[in-house]
């Protein structure tokens, strides 16, 4: 008997789908359907009764199950796609519970982050035709991964440089595979968390530029992503390669695992790498599209300086716009680029750009500036290029229409120009503009941290204070380390006391720790005072160190002045130093005494680093004065930990990102402590002690955590950009960390530590420095062995984040 098949194009709701599937069944029993689904020449796929019940009574079935059912009902294969589309329409008829959703078919690709395309004579439409990428149809390509994710939930991550077509590829893939699903384009991680708390099946979460949703306690977490995936949602995201590499790379020896949370999240994703240039097959497809009449593709194919996708997105014009700007437009653009690379994420206000720009012009350019210089410069920077991107794009707020709230640098230009300006000095006007006009507490904290690492302490303090007033907890800890590093322990205590009085438990813990450290220093100071001989130089040094440990470095010079006055009147004999002058070694012992109160282990570590760094420097043939500076820098490389709360420095467990930021600040705090102490003793120092302020000494302290591959801190310097003294100390520091162990990792043998150094050569360390150190190990192994023969046992805890 002939049975008329239902028309799948008429199926729009779940009840209509169930009725149509029952009509296809045409009275067949479950056993007959199962038998028809498995002809003798086919492997058994099966239609068990439970599966058929879900399909025919609830409309629930995977794409694969529906195809097996269609074969059992003798539906021609050419109709299967129409039935799959009917299934999608029915299952997505009702929106998930999350707010702010639209149909994927209604999504505007430009609002999703797809770059505008260049204009070309005769071009039509907002975007050029899409050139199918090789990854679109590959077995592990975007579309197959999305199809797989649509059945059980999944996350697909596209990794590629700016303007290589990541967003367009993702958009076209979803349109092809999940056209009827609902789309959420979240403003922030908080909106993603809200969606995860509601019914989210048949939902696509669009996370273009994933890094914007990560980081800090408010960032997107693996737990939130798991909740979405378990409910059947599909997440699709894009990210730049350098960000992906930074998040997924395991930390080097002795380095805290800063991105453990991000790596845990990224482990949930299926990753697709999108090349910046077209393959031969992709280019052939592009030529076919150009021949068919797409003028934008044809124009892009005629240019060979950039990749085809970059040309379509106007990347060459963006770079040329920047390079060809007049002094005033260049000033505005460079201010925007620098501000963004310092950590600003929010749109940049016109007031900020106007105030920052003058420092990028010379005195003659500033004098000759016309009255409308800023308006003209801004018009130049925001002009669209060939109908596509602008170097500086105007943006509106989330609730306003037709009102510009700020400006953002084009991604490709930021990538290109940000690298070009990586080592450029940020002018004073820009820093002041950031202090005066930044309003987002996250921006204020990030830029404050950048200012602190550039030793701009007043700017850092002002930015931290702004952020604290807005309730940013991380800024409190960073300001505290800055204050302690400047000898202003009382101000730091007041900061924590205010938060503790407001009922914050973590602030009470930190306050108690700082008070405990201060009390221990006070008790030791009181004990020593009774035994101090004013004529004993060693006693004076120790007393000064105890004052520093107590947060009273400003009182230390008085000890020396009293000693000098006693010399003058003949009450104290000091034949070796008749004028009581302070040497570099005196300053060193003061600081080591203070560090001994805070962390005896850190003092011992610092003394070993000083010896190791001097050995390496000597093998490298450094001049005597440079060698002395490197020795002192090795001794002081961790002195900034005097400013880090002991509750963080000795925490038993993983560090949070906020706590790790405090640890990172020890490099700039170290410079502050050394330079500040030298300034306090200014008139008492002997001339050779000025070595403490030499570039080699201070740069060694500030940059010893840079990595040769550019992934270190505080400035992400790479290769020979890293000062020589810092490259020496980096090798000594990590070798010691491996050979002596840390709280989260046991000590390893000298041979194993040397192997780590060899493996990290060229990545963490300068290969020349490693080669010099390995040659020392060959010729002076006995010295190394004696240096590490008494390695104290350590209590082990979890490796920090």
């Amino acid at each position: 008997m002939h049975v008329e098949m239902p028309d799948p194009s008429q199926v729009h709701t779940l009840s209509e789908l169930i009725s149509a599937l029952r009509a296809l069944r045409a009275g067949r029993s479950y056993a007959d359907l199962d038998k028809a689904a498995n002809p003798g020449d086919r492997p058994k796929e099966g239609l068990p009764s439970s599966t058929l019940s879900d399909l025919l009574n609830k409309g629930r079935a995977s794409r694969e199950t529906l195809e097996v059912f269609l074969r059992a009902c003798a539906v021609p294969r050419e109709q299967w796609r129409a039935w799959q589309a009917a299934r999608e329409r029915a299952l997505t008829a009702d929106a998930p519970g999350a707010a702010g959703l639209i149909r994927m078919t209604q999504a505007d690709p430009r609002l999703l982050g797809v770059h505008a395309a260049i204009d070309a004579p005769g071009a039509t439409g907002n975007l050029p035709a899409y050139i199918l990428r090789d990854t679109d149809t590959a077995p592990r390509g975007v579309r197959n991964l999305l199809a797989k994710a649509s059945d059980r939930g999944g996350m697909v991550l596209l990794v590629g440089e700016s303007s290589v077509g990541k967003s367009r590829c993702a958009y076209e893939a979803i349109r092809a595979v999940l056209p009827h699903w609902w789309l959420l384009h979240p403003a922030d991680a908080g909106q993603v968390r809200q969606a995860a708390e509601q019914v989210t099946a048949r939902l696509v979460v669009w996370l273009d530029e994933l890094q914007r949703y990560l980081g800090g306690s408010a960032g997107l977490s693996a737990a939130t992503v798991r909740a979405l995936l378990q409910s059947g949602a599909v997440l699709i995201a894009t990210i730049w390669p350098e960000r992906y590499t930074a998040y997924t790379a395991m930390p080097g020896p002795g380095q805290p695992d800063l991105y453990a949370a991000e790596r845990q999240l990224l482990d949930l994703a299926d990753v697709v790498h999108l090349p910046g240039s077209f393959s031969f097959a992709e280019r052939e497809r592009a030529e076919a599209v150009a021949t068919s009449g797409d003028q934008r593709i044809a124009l892009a194919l005629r240019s060979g300086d950039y990749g085809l996708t970059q040309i379509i997105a106007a990347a060459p014009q963006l770079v040329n716009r920047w390079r060809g700007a007049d002094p005033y437009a260049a000033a505005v653009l460079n201010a925007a680029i620098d501000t963004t690379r310092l950590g600003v994420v929010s749109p940049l206000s016109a007031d900020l750009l106007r105030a920052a720009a003058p420092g990028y012009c010379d005195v003659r350019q500033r004098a000759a500036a016309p009255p409308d210089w800023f308006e003209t410069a801004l018009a130049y920077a925001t002009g669209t290029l060939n109908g596509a991107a602008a170097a500086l794009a105007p943006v509106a707020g989330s609730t306003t229409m037709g009102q510009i709230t700020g400006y953002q640098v084009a991604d490709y230009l930021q990538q290109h120009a940000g690298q070009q300006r990586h080592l450029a000095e940020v002018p004073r006007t820009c820093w002041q503009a950031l202090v005066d006009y930044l309003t987002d507490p996250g921006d204020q904290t990030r830029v404050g941290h950048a200012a602190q690492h550039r030793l701009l302490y007043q700017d850092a303090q002002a930015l931290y204070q702004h952020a604290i007033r807005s309730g940013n907890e991380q800024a409190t800890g960073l300001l505290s380390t800055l204050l302690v590093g400047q000898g202003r322990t009382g101000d730091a205590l007041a900061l924590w006391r205010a938060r503790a009085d407001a009922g914050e438990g973590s602030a009470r813990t930190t306050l108690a720790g700082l008070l405990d450290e201060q009390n221990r220093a006070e008790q030791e100071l009181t004990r020593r005072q009774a035994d101090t001989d004013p004529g004993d130089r060693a006693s004076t040094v120790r007393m000064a160190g105890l004052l520093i440990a107590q947060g009273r470095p400003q009182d230390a010079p008085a000890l020396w002045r009293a000693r000098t006055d006693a010399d003058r009147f003949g009450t104290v004999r000091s034949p070796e130093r008749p004028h009581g002058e302070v040497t570099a070694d005196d300053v060193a012992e003061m600081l080591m005494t203070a560090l001994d109160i805070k962390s005896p282990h850190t003092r011992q570590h610092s003394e070993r680093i000083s010896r190791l760094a001097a050995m390496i420097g000597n093998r490298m043939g450094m001049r005597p004065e440079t060698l002395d500076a490197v020795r002192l820098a090795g001794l002081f490389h961790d002195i900034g930990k005097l400013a880090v709360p002991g509750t963080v420095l000795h925490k038993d467990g993983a560090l949070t990102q906020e706590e790790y930021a405090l640890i990172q600040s020890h490099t700039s705090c170290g410079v502050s402590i050394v330079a500040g102490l030298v300034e306090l003793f200014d008139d008492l120092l002997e001339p050779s002690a000025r070595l403490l302020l030499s570039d080699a000494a201070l740069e060694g302290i500030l940059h010893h955590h840079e990595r040769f591959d550019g992934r270190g801190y505080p400035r992400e310097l790479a290769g020979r950009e890293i000062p020589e003294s810092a490259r020496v100390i980096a090798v000594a520091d990590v070798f010691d960390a491996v050979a002596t162990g840390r709280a989260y990792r046991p000590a390893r043998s000298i041979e194993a530590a040397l192997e780590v150094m060899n493996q990290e050569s060229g990545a963490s360390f300068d290969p020349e420095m490693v080669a010099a150190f390995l040659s020392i190990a060959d010729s002076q192994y006995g010295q190394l062995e004696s240096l590490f023969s008494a390695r104290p046992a350590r209590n082990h805890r979890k490796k920090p984040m």
Side-chain angles (χ1 to χ4, degrees), residues 214-217 243 246-252 254-264 449 453 474 654-664 711-713 716 744 799-801:
L214 304 178
S217 57
R243 295 280 190 178
Y247 291 145
T248 57
M250 294 301 294
Q255 297 274 338
D257 194 353
L258 179 59
Y259 296 120
E262 286 81 358
R263 189 167 57 253
Q264 187 180 27
H449 204 199
H453 281 319
Q474 184 181 5
L655 297 176
T656 65
Q657 285 190 320
E658 290 78 7
E659 289 166 341
Y660 185 54
L662 300 182
I663 295 289
Q664 281 186 316
R711 289 172 40 224
Y713 67 87
E716 296 183 345
Y744 48 81
K799 189 172 185 178
M801 288 174 55

Side-chain angles (χ1 to χ4, degrees), residues 281-617:
E282 290 169 339
R283 195 166 185 88
E284 278 193 327
R285 291 193 284 270
E287 289 171 350
V289 170
T291 302
S292 68
D294 193 299
Q295 298 303 312
R296 293 187 182 95
I297 301 295
L299 178 61
L301 286 170
R302 291 197 293 270
S303 177
D305 293 339
Y306 292 78
L308 187 142
T309 55
Q310 289 96 334
I311 293 166
I312 292 173
Q317 291 91 335
L318 286 170
V319 174
N320 291 336
R321 193 75 161 178
W322 173 59
R323 288 176 175 164
D326 68 24
Y328 310 110
V332 170
L333 284 171
N334 284 330
I337 291 163
D338 282 353
T339 299
T340 302
R341 71 184 174 91
L342 289 174
V344 177
V345 175
S346 304
L348 308 172
S349 71
D351 289 338
L352 188 155
L353 293 172
R354 185 194 297 270
Y360 294 86
C361 298
D362 61 35
V363 291
R364 294 184 180 181
Q365 290 165 346
R366 290 197 291 271
D372 62 346
W373 70 268
F374 180 72
E375 290 72 20
T376 303
L378 193 60
Y380 175 91
T382 57
T384 55
L385 306 173
N386 282 4
L392 205 60
V395 294
S398 58
T399 60
T400 59
M401 297 288 286
Q403 297 180 9
I404 297 173
T405 57
Y407 302 86
Q408 289 181 325
V409 185
D411 287 346
Y412 187 88
L413 181 59
Q414 183 64 42
Q415 267 193 332
H416 177 87
Q419 291 173 356
Q420 296 289 312
R421 295 191 56 78
H422 181 57
L423 297 178
E425 183 178 354
V426 179
R428 177 69 246 149
T429 55
C430 187
W431 288 110
Q432 191 59 53
L434 290 165
V435 170
D436 292 342
Y437 293 106
L438 281 184
T439 57
D440 180 83
D443 287 343
Q444 290 164 338
T445 303
R446 285 186 292 272
V447 176
H449 204 199
Q452 182 174 345
H453 281 319
R454 287 162 175 80
L455 312 183
L456 301 172
Y457 298 124
Q458 288 186 337
D459 295 327
Q461 180 174 338
L463 287 159
Y464 289 153
Q465 287 172 334
H466 290 332
I468 290 168
R469 283 193 284 270
S470 299
N472 188 288
E473 295 181 4
Q474 184 181 5
T476 304
L478 288 167
L479 179 56
S480 172
T481 63
L482 179 62
L483 293 171
V484 174
Q486 294 176 318
R488 299 164 59 189
T489 304
D491 292 339
L493 288 170
L495 195 66
W496 289 111
R497 189 172 284 111
R499 285 184 54 180
D501 291 345
E504 295 183 27
S506 60
R508 284 196 292 268
T509 301
T510 302
L511 177 63
L514 287 174
L515 288 171
D516 180 63
E517 291 171 15
Q518 199 177 37
N519 289 337
R520 281 191 287 115
E522 176 64 31
Q523 290 169 7
E524 184 66 13
L525 182 64
T526 302
R527 186 179 70 81
R528 293 271 187 180
Q529 278 177 329
D531 303 327
T532 297
D533 177 0
D536 180 11
R537 185 181 195 83
S539 294
T540 305
V541 170
R542 284 194 298 271
M543 287 292 294
L546 293 170
L547 286 169
I548 294 168
Q550 204 193 2
R552 296 165 52 192
Q554 68 277 5
D555 295 337
L559 297 174
W560 239 270
R561 291 194 173 89
R563 189 169 183 275
T564 303
D565 290 343
D567 269 346
R568 187 177 302 135
F569 293 105
T571 57
V572 175
R573 295 189 177 186
S574 181
E576 76 286 1
R577 296 285 176 191
H579 301 294
E581 291 177 323
V582 179
T583 69
D585 286 341
D586 291 332
V587 175
E589 184 55 34
M590 291 179 209
L591 290 173
M592 289 300 102
T593 299
L595 192 58
D596 207 22
I597 295 289
K598 181 90 171 186
S599 173
H601 167 76
T602 303
R603 172 176 182 158
Q604 296 158 10
H605 164 72
S606 299
E607 290 170 341
R608 288 193 300 271
I609 297 312
S610 181
R611 290 181 60 185
L612 288 172
M615 291 168 70
I616 297 170

